[in-house]
Amino acid sequence: MSLFLQASELARDLVAVIEGFEDTERKKAAQARALTLSIEQKTITEKLLALRQKICALLDGAADQECTDLIAVDILFEASEKLRGSFFGQERAESEEVLIKKCRAIFEKNDISDALWFRAFVILSFYFQPFELPLLKNVKDLSVNAFKAYLLFTMRQPHLMTQEDEGRYIRYYKELTSWLLDLMQKTEEGSRQNILHQAIKNKLTFGACFYVDCSTIDLIKARAAILGELVRQNPALDVLSRRKLPVRAVGRKKKLGLLSRNLKDYTDTRALYALFSGFDLRDYDIYWYSLDVVDETCRENSSFDSKISELAHKAVSLRGDAAQKAQQIIADDLDFLVIGTAYSFSAKDFDQLLALRLARVQVNLSALISGSSGLASYDYYIVSQASPEIASVYRRESTETLKTIEGPLICYERKEKVLPSKNITRAALGIPEEAVLYFSGAAVNKQMAPTLHAFLSILREVQGSYLLFAPFSPTWGGYFLALTFLARLRFVMKDFPDIDPKRIIVVHAVDPDDFERLIQLSDVCLGSFPRDGVTVAMQALHYGKPLIARAEKWLHANQDALMLRSLGQEDLIGTDNAAVAARAIRLGRDPVLRQKTAQNIAQRVEKAPFFDVKKQSSKMAALFEEMVEEKNIR
């Protein structure tokens, strides 16, 4: 049997075992109605280990054979991507270390051989992150399949396990985007160019810009350059990018477009509605565009549907590719277009759509998109007012003109509180009733290693306390995403050997109501940083729970602290990670202070600006009138 038939069979076996393993775990959890994941769970069976050893042996022998076709690489990539999350952070076998050293030498020597690449791609994908290896200077001699496989390897989303990884990620992605841009401009028409475009569209993601604790403006600009080249090389988009705006008809209403993920009863959609619900419809026609991205967190709500219908002059779902979606928006001759979703921060069709001039004035909204677009098509970025020092950081980190609103920018219509449930209890989670319970409900991508380190330092200092994580939802769940989070958590836990793992609870994805019930069980809620939680923070305050937040420093971390300031709770805001931990420790050790803080929040939240829809919407309307004057929209 040929090398590649062997590789294909092994890869398919591996995928089957992994998918079967995931399915089995899900069924077991469903049957047991298990709420939690075990931090010490053994995730890899003997069968997986045996298959993995066979793949390593096969790849080790591949270097000695002449190979002309790498079709099995794609299959092995798919399998090893999942394996990587399972093994990350565990000890490497000595024999594998030898293989990895050989593979590193291949990269460093820049010696191009299909047999060597076949071996290097997949072995490295088990443990290595893309930024740990130098980029190849020359890929023109690679076979088409090897070229595709190498591109996929370079664009793997890294697992950021330490603070140092964040800086390395930024530096690597700056180098990668420059390399890709050069490759795009030099690659001739044909299969390689198509492979390059598809790889960039499907795999290149800049999402970590929203989560790292360092400057990202260079990376944001690099993404804009990639999008610009993709638009230029797409004839349909290139034509649209060069079009001239039509002359605006005099005397008509101002046309304001809102673009959201969906039109359902969904957190971001409700927040966008709240911010624009107070606009004077005698002066504005509101056009609402939906991407129709719907998941299990979206609810059917006829009352909210009616509100959308009353506000929107026109509400439509965008269809087709980027050019077709653009044509739908352009046909409405908008004066303003507001982006109200962070659906993607990559190079997908949606991102290419935003790179076009779709309205006379295009606006980015920091409450829902925590970072500058970097795109020349955007004129304004609306942010909350900040101190002069922080405002200067905002300006450095943005390419748009900044417009500011006093206080929190985010705004919600206040909902009824969810009633407790007999299924969501401390007993069901294995948490003593008398224990101080800290809660972190930030999404898994916001649970960065430095954040987890700060949280565990709190747990170590507050005797008998527990830490409850709810980082998943029906939208971002899945067994292997959970493995990635657990690997990062275990990595950080190595610095805290004195903490009993039983004091750390990680729950499976739960529905929105049960998520709020988890908040109700807690004593102190921990805001996320450097990317703030926003919605989770609002929910914690809604239930009168003390919330600990970090003072704003970046554009992607300014709402949690502002919500606390608006309630007069400056004492719950830390200026850095250590200060955040210190405030949480103080609350955990002092039950009287904890109770008093909760009472203060419960009293003040009734008049919180982030629940005052009418006032916040009027502020937004006034801001748009400023833009009307500046851009001469008559």
Side-chain angles (χ1 to χ4, degrees):
M1 185 183 294
S2 73
L3 172 70
F4 295 104
L5 285 176
Q6 293 178 65
S8 297
E9 285 194 2
L10 275 174
R12 289 190 178 96
D13 286 346
L14 186 57
V15 171
V17 171
I18 289 173
E19 290 179 347
F21 186 61
E22 181 177 13
D23 187 54
T24 300
E25 291 296 322
R26 283 176 173 164
K27 287 179 180 176
K28 282 164 55 179
Q31 289 169 357
R33 297 187 178 277
L35 282 172
T36 63
L37 289 165
S38 171
I39 292 173
E40 298 181 297
Q41 189 170 5
K42 302 300 181 185
T43 58
I44 303 299
T45 64
E46 290 183 4
K47 190 172 183 180
L48 272 175
L49 285 169
L51 279 170
R52 185 168 180 270
Q53 289 167 358
K54 287 182 181 180
I55 290 176
C56 288
L58 180 66
L59 294 173
D60 192 32
D64 302 322
Q65 301 187 35
E66 286 297 322
C67 304
T68 58
D69 184 14
L70 294 181
I71 197 69
V73 170
D74 291 341
I75 309 169
L76 285 165
F77 259 21
E78 182 69 25
S80 63
E81 176 68 22
K82 292 184 175 181
L83 263 183
R84 195 167 68 111
S86 306
F87 279 95
F88 206 96
Q90 298 186 19
E91 295 299 321
R92 295 171 176 169
E94 184 177 345
S95 60
E96 290 165 352
E97 288 286 1
V98 173
L99 286 176
I100 289 167
K101 286 178 181 177
K102 290 180 181 178
C103 293
R104 182 189 285 275
I106 294 169
F107 276 79
E108 291 174 345
K109 289 179 180 178
N110 207 16
D111 182 15
I112 296 177
S113 158
D114 280 2
L116 296 178
W117 287 120
F118 178 80
R119 176 170 166 239
F121 287 150
V122 185
I123 288 289
L124 290 173
S125 70
F126 285 131
Y127 286 124
F128 271 80
Q129 305 199 62
F131 56 68
E132 293 184 276
L133 294 165
L135 285 166
L136 280 176
K137 299 296 187 292
N138 178 18
V139 293
K140 63 182 178 63
D141 293 332
L142 287 177
S143 69
V144 170
N145 284 325
F147 176 67
K148 178 180 179 181
Y150 182 64
L151 286 175
L152 295 177
F153 177 79
T154 64
M155 296 181 215
R156 282 184 183 278
Q157 189 166 355
H159 296 287
L160 304 182
M161 308 296 282
T162 70
Q163 177 75 54
E164 290 72 28
D165 284 349
E166 297 182 18
R168 295 166 76 185
Y169 162 82
I170 294 294
R171 290 192 295 273
Y172 171 76
Y173 256 56
K174 283 172 60 178
E175 182 184 358
L176 174 64
T177 50
S178 177
W179 180 79
L180 287 172
L181 196 60
D182 184 63
L183 203 57
M184 291 172 73
Q185 293 166 347
K186 291 181 179 178
T187 302
E188 298 177 357
E189 292 284 346
S191 61
R192 285 178 183 266
Q193 188 185 68
N194 184 57
I195 287 169
L196 178 60
H197 284 197
Q198 289 303 313
I200 290 172
K201 283 176 59 176
N202 296 330
K203 294 296 182 181
L204 186 63
T205 175
F206 297 84
C209 282
F210 293 160
Y211 307 109
V212 295
D213 208 0
C214 51
S215 172
T216 59
I217 186 60
D218 288 344
L219 194 54
I220 286 169
K221 289 178 178 178
R223 167 186 173 257
I226 290 284
L227 287 174
E229 189 62 23
L230 284 172
V231 168
R232 189 185 69 79
Q233 293 189 15
N234 182 321
L237 294 178
D238 188 43
V239 168
L240 293 175
S241 72
R242 299 174 187 276
R243 76 181 187 95
K244 292 184 178 180
L245 289 172
V247 176
R248 186 181 187 277
V250 178
R252 67 163 170 79
K253 287 184 180 181
K254 294 182 277 289
K255 293 185 176 183
L256 168 62
L258 305 176
L259 176 59
S260 66
R261 187 181 294 242
N262 54 59
L263 292 171
K264 300 292 184 181
D265 184 354
Y266 174 73
T267 304
D268 287 359
T269 310
R270 293 189 73 94
L272 191 63
Y273 169 81
L275 286 170
F276 290 90
S277 60
F279 275 54
D280 189 344
L281 299 185
R282 294 170 298 180
D283 199 24
Y284 284 89
D285 277 335
I286 293 181
Y287 293 71
W288 202 313
Y289 305 99
S290 167
L291 298 174
D292 276 3
V293 179
V294 177
D295 56 50
E296 295 176 48
T297 62
C298 301
R299 301 185 178 189
E300 296 296 333
N301 185 332
S302 58
S303 175
F304 186 65
D305 293 344
S306 297
K307 290 180 178 181
I308 293 284
S309 297
E310 291 171 7
L311 178 66
H313 172 77
K314 176 182 178 181
V316 297
S317 297
L318 297 177
R319 305 293 186 192
D321 59 21
Q324 291 167 325
K325 288 183 173 73
Q327 291 283 17
Q328 285 181 261
I329 298 173
I330 288 169
D332 289 327
D333 190 26
L334 297 177
D335 296 309
F336 295 96
L337 177 63
V338 178
I339 302 304
T341 176
Y343 170 62
S344 169
F345 200 74
S346 304
K348 300 183 186 300
D349 278 352
F350 171 76
D351 303 276
Q352 294 176 50
L353 170 70
L354 301 188
L356 300 174
R357 171 63 67 176
L358 303 171
R360 291 175 178 81
V361 181
Q362 295 184 190
V363 181
N364 199 1
L365 195 61
S366 71
L368 297 171
I369 305 175
S370 300
S372 171
S373 70
L375 300 171
S377 55
Y378 277 80
D379 306 281
Y380 293 106
Y381 190 16
I382 301 176
V383 301
S384 296
Q385 282 182 0
S387 67
E389 180 184 2
I390 297 300
S392 67
V393 175
Y394 287 0
R395 287 191 292 272
R396 289 199 303 271
E397 292 292 307
S398 305
T399 56
E400 303 93 341
T401 298
L402 296 185
K403 283 288 181 183
T404 61
I405 282 182
E406 183 182 1
L409 178 54
I410 199 69
C411 179
Y412 302 90
E413 290 183 312
R414 198 169 187 194
K415 297 166 58 180
E416 293 294 324
K417 293 180 179 178
V418 174
L419 296 175
S421 164
K422 62 181 181 180
N423 296 322
I424 305 294
T425 64
R426 286 195 173 202
L429 295 166
I431 301 169
E433 290 296 330
E434 69 278 6
V436 174
L437 178 58
Y438 293 97
F439 176 76
S440 171
V444 61
N445 287 336
K446 298 180 184 181
Q447 302 282 4
M448 305 295 285
T451 313
L452 295 175
H453 201 281
F455 290 172
L456 292 186
S457 71
I458 297 166
L459 205 61
R460 181 170 58 188
E461 296 299 324
V462 181
Q463 188 174 6
S465 61
Y466 278 66
L467 176 56
L468 173 61
F469 286 104
F472 313 113
S473 85
T475 312
W476 49 81
Y479 190 71
F480 282 92
L481 182 60
L483 292 182
T484 301
F485 171 73
L486 292 178
R488 183 183 295 153
L489 181 57
R490 285 194 296 265
F491 188 92
V492 176
M493 286 174 66
K494 291 177 182 178
D495 292 338
F496 300 88
D498 52 327
I499 293 179
D500 185 345
K502 292 179 181 178
R503 293 169 60 198
I504 303 172
I505 313 296
V506 182
V507 300
H508 288 285
V510 295
D511 68 36
D513 285 351
D514 282 346
F515 183 88
E516 293 186 31
R517 292 184 176 106
L518 293 173
I519 292 175
Q520 292 180 56
L521 296 180
S522 67
D523 296 298
V524 179
C525 291
L526 302 174
S528 60
F529 48 87
R531 171 73 185 270
D532 51 3
V534 189
T535 302
V536 181
M538 176 275 295
Q539 291 171 320
L541 297 172
H542 176 54
Y543 285 98
K545 299 295 180 180
L547 170 74
I548 306 296
R550 196 179 81 173
E552 66 269 23
K553 182 179 179 182
W554 307 109
L555 280 165
H556 53 268
N558 58 14
Q559 294 299 306
D560 289 8
L562 287 168
M563 282 191 263
L564 284 171
R565 283 201 183 99
S566 73
L567 299 178
Q569 296 291 164
E570 191 83 30
D571 57 317
L572 299 181
I573 303 170
T575 54
D576 54 33
N577 294 10
V580 168
R583 281 157 174 75
I585 291 167
R586 184 184 175 207
L587 276 179
R589 289 174 172 173
D590 189 338
V592 175
L593 175 63
R594 195 164 62 245
Q595 183 180 18
K596 182 179 179 182
T597 302
Q599 289 172 345
N600 287 342
I601 290 172
Q603 291 170 1
R604 296 169 183 173
V605 79
E606 297 293 334
K607 297 182 179 180
F610 48 88
F611 286 135
D612 191 339
V613 171
K614 184 177 180 180
K615 185 175 181 179
Q616 291 297 93
S617 186
S618 66
K619 287 182 183 179
M620 186 65 71
L623 206 61
F624 269 76
E625 286 305 304
E626 288 182 20
M627 291 185 256
V628 166
E629 293 297 321
E630 291 172 3
K631 296 295 184 179
N632 196 28
I633 304 294
R634 301 295 182 193

